[in-house]
């Protein structure tokens, strides 16, 4: 059997044993109730009298859920559709064509792979294939990206630049909400960008598998484009679904932003489920600091009434702790840094 799920999933009538989750991790209800309270932020409003209200909505959503969705964000719908269509075309290619890009070498700037979320924590395979792109510096990294389907480098290169610019706009709004200087997250704290495409083929029994195990994201901020339902977050002691909105981006608070905000913004525990009828493809762009950067509470936030909650740590050291904990319980790796 091919390693890539997309190469054989349509041919099986039952879930292979290596993909069956232990009972305590199985999604009891793959169509968990959709959370209706996750805010949808209209970024067109930030240029007018509603800016303060928009910033406060972002802050409250980041505290209560760790996610929110944005519309009228400035990224052309045509570019979003072209990029999504391109990746659907990629995963529909013949197995032999995709196999050329398969690699388990994590140092590669571009690779296609299929594996559990955390091999250290789980022996169960995840029902997905993943494309990983390193994006900084783009002019260098893009040379390792595929040239097939046609216009791959052109379309994806344009897309990741647009998404990073949107990430920085949102981080400036978060700066306003936190009361720290605009541009705080520029340069070193947003130096790296990872672009990950997850593809979840239809599954004969979604109640037995997970596309991605429950986990937190380790960086500063993640922007997600999705068309089909599959994302769930753990909120108020239960899993709830996140409804995908046309032409919207879902914004996710990551662990290192929780550290910098001193716990005012919350990284959220989330997972992906599958379905029996359609393939789901999601596009996730995460920005974060260089390995050498020290992640700590923004100095402007320090006061007697707001003492540090977390020990400072380099981005690389935090990632090592994060990977050791990933795929385990709902206890965040951040717990190890609490003062």
């Amino acid at each position: 059997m091919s390693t890539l799920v997309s190469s054989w999933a349509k041919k099986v009538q039952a879930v292979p044993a290596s993909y069956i989750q232990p009972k305590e991790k199985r999604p009891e209800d793959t169509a968990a109730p959709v959370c209706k309270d996750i805010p949808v932020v209209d970024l067109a409003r930030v240029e007018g009298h509603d800016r303060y209200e928009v910033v406060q909505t972002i802050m409250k959503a980041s505290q209560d859920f760790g996610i929110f969705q944005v519309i009228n964000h400035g990224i052309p719908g045509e570019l979003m559709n072209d990029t999504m269509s391109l990746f659907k075309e990629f995963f529909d290619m013949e197995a032999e064509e995709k196999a050329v890009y398969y690699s388990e070498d994590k140092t590669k700037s571009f690779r296609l792979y299929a594996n559990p979320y955390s091999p250290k924590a789980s022996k169960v395979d995840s029902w997905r294939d993943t494309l990983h792109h390193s994006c900084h510096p783009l002019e260098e990294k893009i040379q390792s990206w595929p040239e097939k389907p046609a216009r791959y480098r052109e379309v994806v290169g344009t897309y990741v630049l647009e998404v990073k610019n949107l990430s920085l706009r949102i981080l400036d709004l978060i700066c306003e909400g936190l009361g720290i200087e605009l541009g705080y997250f520029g340069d070193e704290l947003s130096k790296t960008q990872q672009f990950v495409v997850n593809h979840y083929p239809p599954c004969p029994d979604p109640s037995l598998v997970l596309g991605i195990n429950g986990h937190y994201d380790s960086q500063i901020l993640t922007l997600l484009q999705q068309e089909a339902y599959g994302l769930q977050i753990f909120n108020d002691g239960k899993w709830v679904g996140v409804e995908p909105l046309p032409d919207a981006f879902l914004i996710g608070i990551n662990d290192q932003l929780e550290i910098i905000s001193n716990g005012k913004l919350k990284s959220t525990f989330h997972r992906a489920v599958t379905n029996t009828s359609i393939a789901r493809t999601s596009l996730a762009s995460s920005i974060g600091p260089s390995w050498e950067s020290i992640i700590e509470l923004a100095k402007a936030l320090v006061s007697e009434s707001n003492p540090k909650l977390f020990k400072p740590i380099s981005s690389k050291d935090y990632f090592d702790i994060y990977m050791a904990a990933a795929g385990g319980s709902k206890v965040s790796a951040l717990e190890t840094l609490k003062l």
Side-chain angles (χ1 to χ4, degrees):
M1 180 179 291
S2 170
T3 304
L4 295 173
V5 183
S6 58
S7 296
W8 52 259
K10 294 179 181 178
K11 305 171 186 176
V12 299
Q13 302 298 314
V15 175
S18 65
Y19 289 83
I20 297 177
Q21 293 285 335
K23 288 186 178 180
E24 66 273 13
K25 285 192 173 184
R26 294 177 192 172
E28 303 84 5
D29 182 5
T30 56
V34 171
C35 182
K36 300 293 187 180
D37 299 324
I38 297 171
V40 178
V41 177
D42 184 350
L43 289 183
R45 297 173 60 208
V46 301
E47 303 303 326
H49 298 296
D50 297 330
R51 186 181 184 91
Y52 177 81
E53 181 183 338
V54 170
V55 169
Q56 294 309 305
T57 298
I58 288 173
M59 295 300 292
K60 189 172 191 315
S62 300
Q63 293 162 1
D64 295 347
F65 301 103
I67 64 170
F68 54 94
Q69 300 202 64
V70 295
I71 58 174
N72 294 324
H73 40 67
I75 297 181
E78 182 179 1
L79 176 61
M80 296 175 69
N81 293 336
D82 283 352
T83 308
M84 181 66 77
S85 296
L86 183 146
F87 287 117
K88 290 178 180 179
E89 185 179 347
F90 180 94
F91 285 107
D92 280 341
M93 292 193 309
E94 295 296 326
E96 295 77 14
E97 294 180 284
K98 289 182 289 189
V100 172
Y101 304 106
Y102 184 87
S103 176
E104 297 183 5
D105 182 356
K106 296 181 181 180
T107 66
K108 285 194 169 185
S109 298
F110 173 86
R111 65 188 183 106
L112 169 65
Y113 61 95
N115 63 12
Y117 176 70
S118 174
K120 296 179 181 178
S122 173
K123 294 182 180 180
V124 181
D125 291 328
S126 299
W127 195 271
R128 81 182 193 278
D129 294 338
T130 298
L131 280 172
H132 181 275
H133 309 71
S134 293
C135 304
H136 180 80
L138 183 59
E139 61 274 12
E140 172 188 316
K141 302 298 185 182
I142 201 171
Q143 301 305 316
S144 67
W145 298 1
E147 295 184 276
K148 187 179 181 179
R151 300 176 64 237
Y152 190 108
R153 295 181 183 181
E154 176 188 348
V155 172
V156 180
T158 301
Y159 181 89
V160 298
L161 284 175
E162 290 275 0
V163 172
K164 182 169 185 180
N165 288 336
L166 176 57
S167 300
L168 293 174
R169 285 177 56 204
I170 290 167
L171 284 171
D172 268 350
L173 294 172
I174 287 174
C175 285
E176 288 188 39
L178 291 173
I180 59 180
E181 69 269 23
L182 298 184
Y184 183 87
F185 295 97
D187 299 326
E188 288 300 312
L189 288 179
S190 58
K191 189 171 187 178
T192 65
Q193 181 183 16
Q194 307 294 329
F195 180 51
V196 174
V197 180
N198 287 313
H199 181 75
Y200 310 89
C203 177
D205 190 346
S207 68
L208 298 178
V209 308
L210 284 170
I212 297 182
N213 285 308
H215 66 286
Y216 298 87
D217 287 342
S218 69
Q219 299 274 29
I220 298 289
L221 200 72
T222 296
L223 270 66
L224 180 73
Q225 179 185 341
Q226 54 176 351
E227 289 183 327
Y229 174 83
L231 177 66
Q232 297 179 347
I233 64 170
F234 196 77
N235 187 258
D236 286 338
K238 62 182 181 297
W239 289 104
V240 295
V242 180
E243 182 179 9
L245 301 178
D247 296 325
F249 280 96
L250 184 140
I251 313 301
I253 305 300
N254 293 179
D255 283 2
Q256 294 182 30
L257 185 50
E258 182 170 340
I259 295 172
I260 293 168
S261 71
N262 210 35
K264 287 188 176 181
L265 310 181
K266 302 294 185 182
S267 184
T268 191
F269 197 69
H270 58 286
R271 70 183 184 184
V273 296
T274 62
N275 67 79
T276 58
S277 57
I278 62 170
R280 173 177 177 259
T281 302
S282 67
L283 318 183
S285 171
S286 297
I287 63 171
S290 61
W291 279 140
E292 300 78 20
S293 296
I294 300 301
I295 308 304
E296 60 182 336
L297 167 63
K299 291 181 173 57
L301 298 178
V302 178
S303 66
E304 289 186 8
S305 60
N306 189 40
K308 286 186 179 182
L309 294 180
F310 304 102
K311 294 179 287 187
I313 189 171
S314 74
S315 181
K316 183 182 185 308
D317 287 345
Y318 182 71
F319 186 73
D320 290 342
I321 294 172
Y322 167 84
M323 287 306 296
S329 69
K330 288 184 287 294
V331 176
S332 169
L334 290 176
E335 294 294 322
T336 63
L337 299 183
K338 283 192 173 178
L339 295 168

